[in-house]
Amino acid sequence: MKIVRCERQRHGEAIRSIFNEAIASSTALYEYAPRSPQRIEEWFAAKAQGHFPVIGLETEAGELAGFASYGTFRAFPGYKYTIEHTVYVEARFRRQGCGRILLREIIAVAQAQDYHLMIGVIDATNLASIALHESFGFTPGGVLREAGFKFGRWLDVAFYQLTLPTPAAPADG
């Protein structure tokens, strides 16, 4: 497997498929409807506009096994050093270390871009994701009880955070 920078034309449909499988079968995303091709276009455009990476993990055959990205945590200037990240692995490639590779890479990119705090927003029942994040030093930042509703039940969402040693000289403004 190899790390690649995802491109809309090459990886957009695979990313849409990964998102849509997660929407349909899990509480990894608190969404109800599948993402349309237009929504993926907008997602890639927002990543490009914010200079946010979309990192992929490809098999030797060129299949996208998973992807990771991040974006704005909250749209206020004082949060400019804080990002919310996401990691998704295609169902056939789960439990093979892909999430670990992608999380390691997205942390390195965030640090290179001088971010200070990474936030993971995880369904509180997703113990595999929580364990993965904790193995990288993420710590609990809090739980919002009954913050979501999907599959006929209330869902708790857990915030996990990792403090990076960057930037060297943070500044207001």
Side-chain angles (χ1 to χ4, degrees), residues 106-119:
I106 206 72
I107 290 169
V109 173
Q111 189 166 332
Q113 286 189 316
D114 275 342
Y115 288 106
H116 182 66
L117 189 68
M118 294 184 73
I119 305 290

Side-chain angles (χ1 to χ4, degrees), residues 26-30 120-127 129-130 142-150 152-160:
S26 78
T27 55
L29 280 165
Y30 291 5
V121 181
I122 307 168
D123 181 82
T125 63
N126 190 341
L127 301 181
S129 183
I130 289 170
V143 174
L144 301 178
R145 305 275 177 222
E146 299 184 1
F149 188 84
K150 187 174 180 183
R153 68 184 192 275
W154 291 108
L155 305 171
D156 297 344
V157 65
F159 285 75
Y160 276 77

Side-chain angles (χ1 to χ4, degrees), residues 7-82:
E7 303 167 359
R8 184 198 51 77
Q9 294 85 355
R10 179 173 173 172
H11 302 103
E13 189 54 35
I15 287 173
R16 186 170 83 91
S17 177
I18 292 168
F19 271 136
N20 287 344
E21 188 276 330
I23 291 166
S25 67
S26 78
T27 55
L29 280 165
Y30 291 5
E31 295 182 38
Y32 303 125
R35 292 192 179 186
S36 67
Q38 177 64 30
R39 177 106 185 267
I40 296 301
E41 293 273 342
E42 294 164 358
W43 184 81
F44 267 101
K47 297 298 178 190
Q49 182 178 10
H51 305 287
F52 300 131
V54 181
I55 306 295
L57 186 61
E58 283 186 348
T59 67
E60 295 306 317
E63 287 183 280
L64 189 68
F67 68 94
S69 187
Y70 53 74
T72 303
F73 172 65
R74 297 196 67 197
F76 298 101
Y79 291 105
K80 68 182 178 179
Y81 296 114
T82 301

